[in-house]
């Protein structure tokens, strides 16, 4: 159906374009949030995985992934059809967005906004797999994962054509599609990869907590685009999403450091940053469905819950290095389910248990998040296992000891004091350039 | 000549430097080092996981002085670096065979 370009609202369009740029900034923010937490030998490896996600996903989004996520239902409802392959047919309305859902922004602006969600979702996984995932295998993994896992789940939940959307599942900005999905996938890849060398034995302290806090700040800032932008308009709903996002994040930060104070004796900066991110994750599905008062409760619960959930890995024995499970899976699932309690029609969506809506919404939320998490976990296990068999997913033991920065990228993150020594040895590839020792790149 | 080496608490560096200047020592080499003695390390907690940190940050300070001054310089450092708490560090001396001032080529005690 052709899109009615005369219905475009310039204010809405401007806000969604600005929001898309805000959401893009979240991926560099995530890179630094994670990068500060890894050991000094792996910080560039972590930053690189996050930045290259922007590269790979952006190209694939234009080619096929957008169409698979937001095209008219095809493949028996599994994903969108390929009608918008290569971003063709951008003069048509986005499938399913009609009647009360009719968009007032150009379809191409919607494409740009949704791209940024697709970028950060696979990037989130890198926290679980930190310090040991091969770069080439990672690139292949996120390409396959975007097409076979992200696009279908986005279709089911976000697209009005999707089966979970049509069941009435509520996911305002991606608690299920982005966070629970990435958390389940992170767990799956971490299981296939195995534990880091020396896990639960060697010190694996964060090497630069100021980076982690800076990253958390960028995430918090960018998240206003993520959630308030998901109103797809500059309107009252965006206002609710904005206020709820900030409120829940603040409450979650307080919840996390309160648990730390009681449990560990001291509130930590890492706890404050982690609590904020847990709150951002949990309010994501709920931002346009709960009241500001509800968001205080939701955020506080999520912050306290996630601060406890990050210890699960030590009990159960999986090495989710930077707690993608404890923060994104647990926070995403909690947020999705809490809508079933705190959802209120006065903001948007349906009433939850606490607002006289009974358990109906909670049931649908559980079904949606269960389907997404279950599919993501199983499909990711299979994808990771196949890539592992074909090309190997993990760097060698020697490479892991040496660190990803030097072994995978031939770089060192910090030059302190300038005592590294050495000489300039010419340039690569230029006519008449000096022959340069080729370092082994086997298995990289 | 004697090399006086001290490992002290980082926040005591300024006190030690001022005391040495007042005594008449006109040059000093310092570096950031890590180590432990009777103090042992400390513990840090990240997301509920506790790590022991064995090597704690210290400042190492080297100064070469004449044989006659060595014992006094050691006393000056010990006095300025002391807090009375565990982890205050250590000071020791080592004999020095020779010394050259790079700019002028002066040797031995003249290079001090």
């Amino acid at each position: 159906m052709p899109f009615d370009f005369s219905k475009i609202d310039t204010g809405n369009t401007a806000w969604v374009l600005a929001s898309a740029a805000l959401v893009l900034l979240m991926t560099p923010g995530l890179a630094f949030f994670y990068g500060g937490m890894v050991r000094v030998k792996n910080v560039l490896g972590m930053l690189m995985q996050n930045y290259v996600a922007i590269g790979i996903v952006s190209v694939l989004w234009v080619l096929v992934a957008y169409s698979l996520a937001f095209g008219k239902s095809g493949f028996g409802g599994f994903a969108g059809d390929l009608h918008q392959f290569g971003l063709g047919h951008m003069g048509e309305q986005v499938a399913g967005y009609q009647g009360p859902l009719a968009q007032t922004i150009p379809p191409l602006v919607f494409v740009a906004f949704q791209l940024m969600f697709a970028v950060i979702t696979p990037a989130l996984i890198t926290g679980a797999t930190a310090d040991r995932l091969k770069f080439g295998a990672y690139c292949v993994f996120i390409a396959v994962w975007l097409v076979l896992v992200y696009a279908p789940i986005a279709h089911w939940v976000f697209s009005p054509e999707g089966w979970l959307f049509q069941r009435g599942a509520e996911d305002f900005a991606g608690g299920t599609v982005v966070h629970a999905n990435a958390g389940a996938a992170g767990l799956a890849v971490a299981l296939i990869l195995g534990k880091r060398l020396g896990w639960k034995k060697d010190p694996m302290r964060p090497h630069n907590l100021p980076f982690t806090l800076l990253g958390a700040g960028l995430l918090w800032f960018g998240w206003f685009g993520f959630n308030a932008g998901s109103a797809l308009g500059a309107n009252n709903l965006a206002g609710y999403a904005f206020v709820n996002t900030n409120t829940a994040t603040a409450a979650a930060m307080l919840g996390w450091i309160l648990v730390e104070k009681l449990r560990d004796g001291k509130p930590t900066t890492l706890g404050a940053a982690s609590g904020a991110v847990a709150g951002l994750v949990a309010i994501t599905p709920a931002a346009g469905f709960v009241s500001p008062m509800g968001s205080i409760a939701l955020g506080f619960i999520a912050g306290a819950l996630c601060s406890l959930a990050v210890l699960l890995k030590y009990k159960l024995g999986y090495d989710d290095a930077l707690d993608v499970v404890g923060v994104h899976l647990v926070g995403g699932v909690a947020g999705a389910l809490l809508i079933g309690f705190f959802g209120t029609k006065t903001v948007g969506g349906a009433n939850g248990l606490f607002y006289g809506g009974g358990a109906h919404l909670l049931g649908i939320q559980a079904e949606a998040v269960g389907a997404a998490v279950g599919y993501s976990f199983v499909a990711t296990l299979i994808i990771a296992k196949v890539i592992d068999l074909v090309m190997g997913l993990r760097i060698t033991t020697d490479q892991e000891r040496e660190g990803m920065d030097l072994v995978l990228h031939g770089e060192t993150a910090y030059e302190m004091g300038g005592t590294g020594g050495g000489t300039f040895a010419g340039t690569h590839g230029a006519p008449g350039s000096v022959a340069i020792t080729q370092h082994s790149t086997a298995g990289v | 000549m004697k090399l006086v080496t001290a490992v002290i608490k980082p926040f005591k560096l300024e006190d030690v430097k001022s005391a040495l200047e007042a005594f008449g020592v006109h040059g000093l080499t310092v570096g950031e080092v890590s180590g432990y003695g009777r103090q042992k390390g400390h513990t840090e907690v990240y997301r509920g996981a506790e790590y022991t940190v064995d090597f704690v940050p210290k400042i190492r300070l080297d100064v070469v002085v004449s044989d006659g001054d060595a014992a006094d310089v050691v006393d000056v450092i010990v006095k300025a670096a002391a807090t009375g708490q565990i982890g205050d560090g250590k000071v020791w001396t080592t004999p020095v065979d020779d010394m050259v001032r790079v700019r002028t080529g002066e040797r031995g005690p003249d290079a001090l």
Side-chain angles (χ1 to χ4, degrees):
Chain A
M1 197 184 300
F3 178 73
D4 184 355
F5 281 87
S6 70
K7 292 275 163 51
I8 285 175
D9 181 299
T10 52
N12 292 348
T13 303
W15 169 236
V16 177
L17 281 169
S19 291
L22 283 170
V23 181
L24 173 73
L25 189 64
M26 289 170 65
T27 298
L30 181 73
F32 281 90
F33 179 67
Y34 283 165
M37 275 189 264
V38 297
R39 287 164 290 171
V40 70
K41 61 184 179 179
N42 293 321
V43 56
L44 295 177
M46 174 54 74
L47 295 179
M48 185 67 166
Q49 287 185 0
N50 282 271
Y51 276 80
V52 86
I54 304 176
I56 292 171
V57 174
S58 294
V59 172
L60 279 175
W61 191 250
V62 169
L63 287 174
V64 295
Y66 169 74
S67 197
L68 289 171
F70 289 99
K72 197 171 167 56
S73 261
F75 308 101
F78 176 71
D81 66 13
L82 290 172
H83 188 62
Q84 276 86 25
F85 176 86
L87 296 188
H89 307 285
M90 282 292 120
E92 297 176 13
Q93 70 170 39
V94 181
Y97 285 92
Q98 57 228 4
L101 293 173
Q103 294 183 344
T104 56
I105 59 173
L108 204 54
V109 172
F110 184 70
V111 169
F113 181 61
Q114 285 297 335
L115 158 66
M116 304 314 174
F117 289 65
V119 166
I120 198 169
T121 309
L124 289 168
I125 298 170
T126 61
T129 60
D131 300 354
R132 59 207 195 280
L133 184 55
K134 247 169 39 175
F135 182 68
Y138 166 76
C139 291
V140 173
F141 169 77
I142 60 168
V144 174
W145 191 86
L146 181 76
V147 169
L148 293 184
V149 180
Y150 182 78
I153 292 178
H155 186 75
W156 303 347
V157 179
F158 277 164
S159 170
E161 297 265 301
W163 67 278
L164 289 171
F165 184 100
Q166 290 176 358
R167 299 267 298 144
E170 295 184 352
D171 186 6
F172 193 72
T176 299
V177 173
V178 174
H179 297 285
N181 179 9
L187 177 60
V189 192
L191 288 174
I192 299 285
L193 272 175
K195 307 169 179 79
R196 285 168 294 172
L197 286 176
W199 186 59
K200 289 219 278 189
K201 214 169 69 217
D202 296 347
M204 295 185 177
R205 289 184 291 159
H207 92 281
N208 189 336
L209 283 176
F211 268 180
T212 296
L213 273 95
L214 184 66
L218 288 172
L219 282 168
W220 194 331
F221 178 72
W223 224 295
F224 291 122
F226 206 83
N227 289 358
S230 288
L232 297 180
N235 52 33
N236 197 42
L237 183 59
Y240 267 115
F242 197 110
V243 171
N244 287 340
T245 298
N246 196 64
T247 308
T249 304
M253 179 170 73
L254 299 178
W256 189 301
I257 60 174
L258 181 66
V259 169
E260 283 190 332
K261 176 68 188 160
L262 298 173
R263 181 186 62 194
D264 310 324
K266 292 189 177 87
T268 67
T269 58
L270 179 60
S274 308
V277 172
L280 289 162
V281 168
I283 195 62
T284 292
F289 302 124
V290 301
S291 70
M293 286 299 284
S295 71
I296 293 179
L298 185 147
F300 192 81
I301 292 168
L305 184 68
C306 291
S307 74
L308 300 170
V310 293
L311 292 174
L312 276 177
K313 63 182 180 183
Y314 299 107
K315 290 209 167 63
L316 302 177
Y318 58 92
D319 184 10
D320 168 22
L322 310 182
D323 300 308
V324 179
V325 174
V327 175
H328 295 273
L329 179 57
V330 171
V333 171
L337 296 180
L338 286 169
I339 300 172
F341 296 92
F342 293 102
T344 170
K345 264 184 192 167
T346 54
V347 177
N351 279 334
L353 204 56
F354 296 160
Y355 290 83
H360 180 68
L361 180 59
L362 182 60
I364 295 172
Q365 291 301 104
E367 180 189 352
V369 82
V373 164
Y375 173 73
S376 173
F377 181 73
V378 173
T380 307
L381 267 184
I382 296 169
I383 293 168
K385 189 69 197 168
V386 170
I387 293 175
D388 192 32
L389 291 172
V390 172
M391 59 189 297
L393 209 53
R394 185 168 178 151
I395 55 179
T396 66
T397 302
D398 284 348
Q399 290 173 331
E400 195 174 334
R401 290 203 177 105
E402 183 97 357
M404 300 169 85
D405 298 3
L406 199 57
V407 167
L408 300 185
H409 306 298
E411 297 173 299
T412 308
Y414 306 103
E415 162 85 353
M416 299 291 195
T419 48
T423 53
F424 178 69
T427 55
H428 281 216
S433 63
V434 189
I436 286 179
T437 319
Q438 270 295 319
H439 301 287
S440 165
T441 52
V444 172
Chain B
M1 290 170 294
K2 286 240 178 356
L3 169 66
V4 180
T5 304
V7 173
I8 60 171
K9 285 186 166 162
F11 68 85
K12 275 292 183 181
L13 178 60
E14 280 307 311
D15 290 346
V16 170
K17 183 177 146 251
S18 306
L20 285 173
E21 272 173 358
F23 181 81
V25 170
H26 299 302
L28 201 54
T29 305
V30 299
E32 295 177 24
V33 294
S34 303
Y36 67 91
R38 288 190 189 166
Q39 181 191 8
K40 295 295 182 195
H42 58 252
T43 58
E44 297 180 3
V45 182
Y46 297 97
R47 285 182 173 168
E50 184 174 309
Y51 295 102
T52 61
V53 178
D54 297 330
F55 300 106
V56 292
K58 298 282 169 187
I59 290 287
R60 178 186 168 130
L61 169 158
D62 289 298
V63 53
V64 180
V65 297
S66 67
D67 288 331
D69 283 342
D72 291 338
V73 167
V74 169
D75 288 345
V76 165
I77 295 174
V78 167
K79 192 164 170 243
T83 67
Q85 303 292 311
I86 197 163
D88 270 356
K90 293 211 171 26
V91 186
W92 64 92
T93 61
T94 335
V96 173
D97 288 342
D98 199 3
M99 192 172 186
V100 184
R101 174 172 277 118
V102 171
R103 177 171 56 85
T104 59
E106 292 163 282
R107 299 188 83 95
D110 290 342
L112 282 173

